[in-house]
Amino acid sequence: MESSTSSHSAGTTVDECQNMIQRSLQSPMVRFLREHLGKAGCAVGDNFIKAVNCEERAAGGYIRGEGIVVCSNNIEMQDEVDQVLIHELIHAFDDCRAANLEWTNCAHHACSEIRAGHLSGDCHYKRELLRGFLKIRGHEQECIRRRVTKSLAQNPDCSGAAAAKESMEAVWDVCYNDTQPFDRAP
């Protein structure tokens, strides 16, 4: 499961989270990504995105062949649901358009995480400020690198921080500059 870590602990009920998912489905960015998944040949049905209680400390994840889960017990606000869906829909788009994407391959996983971090707004300076990271220049790429490294560390096929960093650096330029399905980074 590719995860987006949340810093909150109270969470919501599965029903409350499901209602937030329904609101997110109306947001322009989520609608755009769902539309482009369909154009890429991977239509997203109503049961593709589900609210669940998660054991791990994650806000959500994309699971190949199953869809997207949003961890209701680790989510408190609508904005968090919006961010999880955008991030995970980018993973779903990558999985759809790349016939040979292997989540067990650290470089493939790193590439999708780089793209999701860059294109979802996960590393917008306001979000970083709320996480306690204050840096004016270069904050976005530093944030993406930090979050990619953290995600790869959870992948049992990426042995150690050095391998994860090496995989990320090997694909950084190509993946950071790949803005599909957008014309440019939002």
Side-chain angles (χ1 to χ4, degrees), residues 51-148:
V52 298
N53 280 316
C54 298
E55 289 186 26
E56 66 271 3
R57 279 294 301 144
Y62 167 71
I63 304 165
R64 173 184 269 166
E66 293 182 35
I68 294 170
V69 295
V70 179
C71 299
S72 59
N73 54 319
N74 297 328
I75 293 282
E76 290 182 340
M77 300 181 303
Q78 183 66 48
D79 179 66
E80 292 173 296
V81 175
D82 296 346
Q83 277 307 115
V84 168
L85 291 190
I86 292 164
H87 183 104
E88 303 306 335
L89 282 166
I90 292 166
H91 288 319
F93 179 82
D94 288 349
D95 205 24
C96 178
R97 74 174 179 154
N100 63 347
L101 192 146
E102 288 299 328
W103 292 104
T104 55
N105 179 314
C106 291
H108 290 193
H109 183 173
C111 187
S112 191
E113 289 295 344
I114 290 165
R115 287 179 29 75
H118 181 51
L119 301 174
S120 69
D122 284 343
C123 290
H124 187 276
Y125 77 94
K126 288 179 184 173
R127 290 184 199 289
E128 279 291 88
L129 208 57
L130 292 171
R131 291 182 192 119
F133 294 99
L134 176 61
K135 186 175 179 185
I136 304 303
R137 293 179 155 262
H139 78 275
E140 192 224 19
Q141 289 193 16
E142 189 174 291
C143 167
I144 294 168
R145 288 177 194 279
R146 184 181 72 245
R147 293 171 65 88
V148 168

